[in-house]
Amino acid sequence: MSRAIAVAERLAAAAPPASGAVVMGTGIVSIGLSIDGYEPLSRALLAIAGLVWVVLAGVLALLILRLRPLLRAEARSAAALTGIAGTDVLGARVAMLGWNREAAALLVIGLLLWLVLVPYVLAHWRTPTVGVSFVLTVGTESLAVLGAALAIAFDETWLAVASLACVGLGLAFYLFVVSTFDLRQLLVGRGDHWVSGGALAIATLACAHTAEATAALDPLGSAAGSLETAALGIWAAAALWLPALVLGELASPRVEYDVRRWSTVFPLGMYSVCSFAVARIEDIGGIAHFARVWIWVAFAVWLLVFAGLLRRTLPVVTRSLRLGA
């Protein structure tokens, strides 16, 4: 038993705080594939996202029980907030299957993580900000996305109001982060620089979902039109980042694997998913066409990054198991 614990501790120590981005990226590509009608492939990615989430939950439990100094050190970084977004993205995907109670449980977990981690991260905030800093917005907007979906499922007005509050807070966080963002990250970032656009993309999705929730709930119906307009405006702002992000990759290729590349996968998938949402509420065919094409760009990048993850992780796991034998 002691050897097994020692192996688990080594594996936990080897898991970087940004590991939640694996669930974020895989979950959002799963959502996009499902929207586009490729359900079997989507569910395969959902299974991977769920497995990774369970493993990371076990790592978190071990950190709490046995490696608290490491936990405190890792929780200072905005990368730790990927756990919030990963939990909520997974919840949004299972909600699409009608598993509303499971989704609600994930929302509660995501909210608890937000309440614990966000104040701690802000207390250790660093400037200039980098790509991962935008996960402050992503984690907050992910609560709005899942909350709005469950507001419709459970017919709960208070959930829609809470989601609207999270949309506003997430956008305020975005302005806070972008005001000190180092634009050189577009050329030197290791993958997380894509969240500069991805944070606005998830804000678009959160606003669009909240618009649908308010339209479905009588006391809030009058706010739906304004939220739909806001979603289109935020989508346009997110789209402005895309040429700069693509050109940055072409000007300074970064082809080696880094866990922060999962923070590239997530925005790529989110650009597609938020475009599907905007096209649905605004009935704009061109945006829907972009979404259908872009989800395959996101999936192609997911394949490359997932292959890199396997090449990097499997030797570490094998070595740890041998040391524990």
Side-chain angles (χ1 to χ4, degrees), residues 3 68 89 110 130 132 159 169 185 198 221 240 302 306:
R3 287 182 177 179
R68 291 184 183 178
V89 169
V130 296
V132 73
L159 269 176
L169 181 58
Q185 290 294 311
L240 290 175
W302 180 88
F306 186 64

Side-chain angles (χ1 to χ4, degrees), residues 214-228:
T214 55
L217 299 168
D218 291 335
L220 301 174
S222 59
S226 298
L227 287 171
E228 290 173 359

